[in-house]
Amino acid sequence: MARSSGPFTRKAVVDWALVGLVAFVMIGGGAAHLAAPQAFAPLVPPVLPATPVILGAGVVQFLIGLVALWPRTRAWGGLAFALLCAAYLPLHLWDYVRPDPVFAPPVATTLRVVVQGLFIWAGIVLWRRGRR
């Protein structure tokens, strides 16, 4: 069977799926943080000022989503997505040991950690593909 060429190659489809994932998660998450910051307050460690952290995270997420959509900056969007997801990972792991877990039972926390790992992987793949 001959290899396909054009806009529907396997690589092109995977690239667009990664871009769509990053853009959807970041723009949607950013909009949610900005629209309803109080919903995210339980996730912020008490040593940090919840509202500024949540609003700042929302702006950063929204910008990462936009950067991922633009072809010239897509690789940087993937890298930023991976780094932000890696930075959020300790907050997800915190649910295992905190006295008042946000996501209980431990199965929900485990799913969050696994999804976070997949997000990190997706961001790295988008970054690597975009550098070529």
Side-chain angles (χ1 to χ4, degrees):
M1 179 180 239
R3 296 191 92 162
S4 63
S5 62
F8 297 108
T9 63
R10 180 174 177 258
K11 181 189 178 309
V13 170
V14 170
D15 287 350
W16 280 109
L18 290 170
V19 170
L21 172 74
V22 171
F24 177 77
V25 169
M26 288 289 95
I27 292 172
H33 279 71
L34 296 173
Q38 69 282 1
F40 296 91
L43 299 169
V44 179
V47 298
L48 299 173
T51 301
V53 167
I54 294 164
L55 294 176
V59 170
V60 168
Q61 288 177 337
F62 198 84
L63 291 174
I64 290 171
L66 292 177
V67 167
L69 287 173
W70 189 259
R72 290 182 67 159
T73 58
R74 185 164 293 147
W76 292 110
L79 180 60
F81 179 66
L83 292 173
L84 184 65
C85 289
Y88 283 166
L89 192 56
L91 294 175
H92 300 315
L93 293 171
W94 181 37
D95 248 8
Y96 285 116
V97 296
R98 66 187 281 184
D100 60 338
V102 176
F103 294 93
V107 171
T109 300
T110 301
L111 286 173
R112 288 178 68 218
V113 170
V114 168
V115 167
Q116 203 69 13
L118 292 171
F119 283 171
I120 294 166
W121 170 81
I124 291 169
V125 170
L126 186 61
W127 173 61
R128 285 183 174 170
R129 287 177 176 230
R131 293 183 318 158
R132 294 181 189 155

